[in-house]
Amino acid sequence: MTADTMETARARIRLFERSGPSVAWQPIGRAEPAVVGENGLAWGDTFRGMAKAGEAVKTEGDRRTPAGIYRIGRSFGAAPSARPGHLVLRPGRSICVDDPASPAYNTILSPAPGATLRGEDMGAERLYRRGLVIDYPSDAGRRAGSCIFLHVWRGPANGTAGCVALPEPRVAALQELSGRGAVIAILPKRALDRFEGCLPDGIR
């Protein structure tokens, strides 16, 4: 997934596959519109060393999507699914903890009876009716950001709170990638040459 700059919410996403680590990546379909954080991108915690002067590094609440390369995690949504590990969201029972002071920071929990968790009630958010967890390895001590997902968008002109968002039919299709070793590269175009040899040819 590429954005023209670190400051824009508009992006493009394209799918590639290969049959083995020594085989060339092959594109599947065309690039399609996507959106990222309403304030653009910021380098994710494990990629902070890639940042050049003037480029933001991800922090909690900055409304930026973490740039870098991450594994695609489990699928989630409002409805049950036969996909292994699929998480069915329920209001008040599916909380993604965004409190850096909590030992559960950046995880999705179901609160124990009488317990209170500070975080996002995923089951109450309609944009999470379909989605995928992006396995973003955060750092609570640096308040490096939390709860990063691929989910349904509001539209092509509406950025997110820090996630990646797409039209619902595309999210539904991409959910089939969960559990298959898929990764997502989230990068500004001007940084593609910093990942030479790590990305499929022809990405621009």
Side-chain angles (χ1 to χ4, degrees):
M1 199 209 71
T2 56
D4 285 342
T5 71
M6 296 282 287
E7 313 302 325
T8 181
R10 292 178 182 266
R12 304 283 287 174
I13 191 165
R14 192 172 190 188
L15 187 64
F16 292 80
E17 68 175 1
R18 64 182 180 180
S19 58
S22 61
V23 180
W25 291 98
Q26 298 298 319
I28 302 174
R30 298 180 177 181
E32 299 179 85
V35 293
V36 294
E38 63 181 31
N39 291 331
L41 303 178
W43 288 101
D45 188 60
T46 51
F47 290 89
R48 60 195 303 118
M50 304 296 291
K52 293 190 175 181
E55 293 180 344
V57 174
K58 177 71 182 167
T59 58
E60 185 67 44
D62 62 3
R63 304 188 76 81
R64 292 176 179 265
T65 299
I69 302 175
Y70 309 104
R71 294 177 188 234
I72 294 289
R74 67 199 299 195
S75 67
F76 61 80
S81 169
R83 285 184 293 272
H86 179 80
L87 175 63
V88 179
L89 302 180
R90 296 287 182 260
R93 306 300 301 162
S94 307
I95 309 298
C96 190
V97 180
D98 60 10
D99 178 7
S102 170
Y105 183 59
N106 196 35
T107 61
I108 302 170
L109 295 179
S110 181
T116 301
L117 291 174
R118 197 185 95 185
E120 185 173 20
D121 186 350
M122 297 178 67
E125 174 54 73
R126 288 195 68 253
L127 298 181
Y128 293 159
R129 60 189 179 271
R130 290 185 183 274
L132 287 160
V133 174
I134 295 175
D135 284 342
Y136 171 61
S138 190
D139 184 298
R142 285 199 284 255
R143 299 177 53 85
S146 59
C147 308
I148 308 300
F149 310 118
L150 186 155
H151 62 71
V152 178
W153 72 4
R154 289 189 176 88
N158 300 98
T160 70
C163 298
V164 173
L166 304 165
E168 186 167 356
R170 296 307 301 144
V171 178
L174 291 176
Q175 282 183 312
E176 299 307 317
L177 296 176
S178 63
R180 291 172 50 193
V183 298
I184 184 168
I186 306 168
L187 299 169
K189 289 184 178 179
R190 69 187 182 203
L192 294 178
D193 59 353
R194 300 177 214 175
F195 292 83
E196 187 173 358
C198 299
L199 302 171
D201 292 335
I203 296 180
R204 283 293 176 265

